[in-house]
Amino acid sequence: MPARSFALAALLVVLGLSWQAAVAQDDQPTVPVASETTAEPAAPVAPAHPDAAERRERRDRAVRALGDNGLLLVLAEGRASGFTGKRRSDEFRYLSPFVARDAALLVYLDGDSVQHRIYLTPRNPAFERWNGPTVGPGEETAAQYEFEEARALQALPRDVADLLADRRSLHVSATSPADGADRLDALLAKVQPLLTEGLALERLDRRGAPAIAEGGSGPAPEMIRSVRSASAAITSLRAVKSASEIEHVRRAVEATVTGINDALRTARPGLAEYQIQSLVELRCQLDGCHEQAFDSIIGSGPNSCILHYSANDRIMQDGDIVVMDVGGEFDGYAADVTRTFPVSGKFTDEQARVYDAVLAAQEAALAAVRPGVTLRDVHAAAKAVLVEAELNQYFLHGTSHSVGLNVHDPFGRQRKLEVGSILTVEPGAYIAEQALGVRIEDTVVVTEDGCTILSAGAPKTREAIEALMAEDAPIEIAPPR
Ligand SMILES: [Mn+2]
């Protein structure tokens, strides 16, 4: 770890110097290099962060979608974990170019223009000595990340109270613990006494009804400041991906496919599920994924029927079928791909029968994906095939979910797919009494006349899977016992 920190520091120095060189070339005032000064080295003025402009545009659209003198507050919070993603508040990540603990975004309409502020914990040299540099409030941060202001977190309650003097609503993104619900309560308790005299906060639930029943003699309507959820507006934006988001997911899927294909070449009876997991995750990381988007599922034999199996501690046996549901995460964006294979390299007749039915269902569902249909329509297409194959009773979950910053990205139940929506298509059948589970899952992006299968590089027909499994393993792995 120390060696790594040193390498990072060296890299930062190199980047700083090359940026200064670029400035000099452009005939702009030259920033003094460290060797010309005897005092502290000049703080490098960082160029704008590559994600800053797109995040700013998202905030613009979010706040304009709110109407009503749009005032949007987004809190960052700690981590939740599990299958719904292990995220620092996704809505914060969607709208902020960097992740910070104990941070907030405050975005508001000011006449025709949108003001963007970020609130951060002031930097602390003692903390940074142990934990590394943090991003603090100040003009440099504001410039680098495209905010009008980067202020100290302490100023947030006062600023919210001031902005509420002439705005009727505060729209908040903090509807789950991961999105900072606890911190929102604490913040609002600080805001209330700072409001202009006579004004009162009123929490509304997700449907816009008062969360707490009003007494007979509450404040006059014009004195009420409503606290509403902004999630519907943000979710709506997240349902259609930008070109850069699609590219991020594509990178994550590509790394995942490489891992799956290497796993297929490597799997054999006697190896442990976790050895296959390790190989997939190694490939993801080598291909640029910092972490996995969710806990890898390598379920062999009976575990193939456990939908969220993640212990991955069984030794794979001859005759087992294996459900491998994995996804790398590239710069915050998830992949989600499942392939099912026989650990011996050859499907049995019964495995083949179920496998082919699930594959037919998946192909029918893929054919149904296009702009204008709902996730329910896609599910119906898969279901019809499995009903016909008399396997519907073993189909235990939905066919599709949205994918993005979260492996289970939010997506309205009634919402229609649009060009740029990203979703999974993943029917399955799980016959527990036969220890025979099959799931086939692709991550796809909706196009004008259908979809592009981002995970098409991983084989799906029985023939293609068996052929790949017959290839040499890319890495020697010995059975653990
Ligand atoms: Mn999935």
Side-chain angles (χ1 to χ4, degrees):
M1 202 154 79
R4 211 182 205 183
S5 311
F6 178 77
L8 180 62
L11 178 66
L12 290 174
V13 168
V14 170
L15 289 175
L17 290 179
S18 63
W19 184 83
Q20 285 167 348
V23 168
Q25 261 176 10
D26 275 3
D27 241 10
Q28 284 167 11
T30 309
V31 178
V33 296
S35 62
E36 289 173 353
T37 59
T38 50
E40 293 274 293
V45 181
H49 189 276
D51 291 339
E54 180 164 333
R55 293 303 206 274
R56 183 181 171 99
E57 193 195 313
R58 293 177 192 173
R59 293 192 302 269
D60 260 319
R61 294 175 62 199
V63 85
R64 289 185 192 281
L66 298 174
D68 188 24
N69 293 323
L71 173 59
L72 172 64
L73 171 69
V74 185
L75 299 178
E77 235 319 42
R79 296 175 85 84
S81 64
F83 282 91
T84 49
K86 36 174 188 174
R87 298 260 73 77
R88 293 197 175 101
S89 56
D90 286 334
E91 292 182 345
F92 185 86
R93 290 163 55 98
Y94 185 70
L95 297 170
S96 169
F98 64 96
V99 174
R101 265 184 195 284
D102 298 330
L105 302 169
L106 194 60
V107 191
Y108 57 96
L109 274 174
D110 184 17
D112 277 346
S113 73
V114 178
Q115 295 293 307
H116 300 252
R117 292 183 185 169
I118 189 163
Y119 291 77
L120 297 162
T121 308
R123 297 179 64 179
N124 174 342
F127 177 88
E128 292 189 8
R129 173 69 57 136
W130 288 89
N131 300 286
T134 62
V135 180
E139 281 175 26
E140 265 188 52
T141 297
Q144 187 181 357
Y145 293 102
E146 301 207 12
F147 291 96
E148 269 70 50
E149 286 183 79
R151 312 198 67 188
L153 195 58
Q154 227 183 350
L156 183 60
R158 171 90 263 164
D159 289 355
V160 171
D162 288 350
L163 287 164
L164 279 173
D166 55 4
R167 287 172 178 78
R168 299 298 295 270
S169 297
L170 172 66
H171 297 263
V172 295
S173 162
T175 48
S176 72
D179 282 334
D182 298 351
R183 289 183 54 224
L184 178 65
D185 293 340
L187 177 73
L188 294 178
K190 286 184 190 164
V191 170
Q192 174 67 59
L194 298 172
L195 288 172
T196 307
E197 207 183 331
L199 295 183
L201 291 177
E202 179 186 64
R203 293 285 285 275
L204 302 183
D205 69 15
R206 288 188 134 197
R207 285 160 304 172
I212 302 161
E214 282 297 306
S217 57
E222 68 273 16
M223 304 306 277
I224 291 174
R225 297 296 180 256
S226 305
V227 180
R228 304 165 181 271
S229 171
S231 290
I234 298 171
T235 293
S236 177
L237 292 178
R238 288 172 66 188
V240 180
K241 270 63 180 177
S242 70
S244 111
E245 289 186 288
I246 293 169
E247 179 60 15
H248 277 67
V249 174
R250 193 190 63 74
R251 287 286 306 270
V253 171
E254 210 152 83
T256 304
V257 164
T258 308
I260 286 173
N261 290 350
D262 275 358
L264 289 172
R265 292 185 181 100
T266 306
R268 63 178 193 276
L271 294 184
E273 294 163 345
Y274 59 78
Q275 290 178 300
I276 296 303
Q277 172 192 355
S278 170
L279 179 56
V280 172
E281 294 180 2
L282 170 71
R283 285 300 182 208
C284 285
Q285 215 163 22
L286 291 178
D287 282 2
C289 293
H290 184 187
E291 49 190 332
Q292 297 304 113
F294 57 95
D295 293 345
S296 298
I297 298 170
I298 315 290
S300 64
N303 300 332
S304 68
C305 296
I306 302 174
L307 297 180
H308 282 173
Y309 175 72
S310 64
N312 298 344
D313 58 358
R314 184 172 176 276
I315 304 296
M316 301 186 293
Q317 308 290 327
D318 198 3
D320 282 352
I321 201 158
V322 183
V323 169
M324 174 168 58
D325 186 346
V326 291
E329 182 181 291
F330 182 82
D331 197 8
Y333 282 83
D336 192 5
V337 185
T338 306
R339 289 296 182 266
T340 298
F341 60 91
V343 74
S344 67
K346 192 96 184 101
F347 286 90
T348 65
D349 289 348
E350 182 59 7
Q351 288 168 354
R353 184 184 73 84
V354 178
Y355 188 90
D356 287 351
V358 173
L359 183 55
Q362 206 235 5
E363 278 163 356
L366 285 169
V369 175
R370 73 182 79 90
V373 308
T374 64
L375 297 183
R376 192 181 292 180
D377 298 330
V378 177
H379 181 59
K383 209 172 168 66
V385 174
L386 289 173
V387 166
E388 188 67 27
E390 297 184 354
L391 287 168
N392 188 50
Q393 59 175 311
Y394 303 109
F395 184 16
L396 306 174
H397 52 75
T399 301
S400 297
H401 56 82
S402 182
V403 175
L405 277 174
N406 197 305
V407 67
H408 289 173
D409 238 27
F411 197 88
R413 203 178 284 246
Q414 312 292 337
R415 185 163 182 129
K416 293 182 163 67
L417 293 173
E418 291 177 45
V419 173
S421 298
I422 299 182
L423 66 149
T424 64
V425 178
E426 50 171 318
Y430 310 91
I431 310 173
E433 55 273 26
Q434 294 182 53
L436 202 181
V438 174
R439 177 161 67 254
I440 305 171
E441 174 178 37
D442 285 305
T443 301
V444 310
V445 54
V446 178
T447 59
E448 262 163 47
D449 51 5
C451 68
T452 299
I453 302 173
L454 298 175
S455 43
K460 272 199 303 202
T461 64
R462 282 189 288 119
E463 296 71 27
I465 287 170
E466 290 177 356
L468 192 62
M469 292 188 73
E471 288 185 12
D472 290 339
I475 181 171
E476 280 288 316
I477 301 179
R481 52 180 182 265

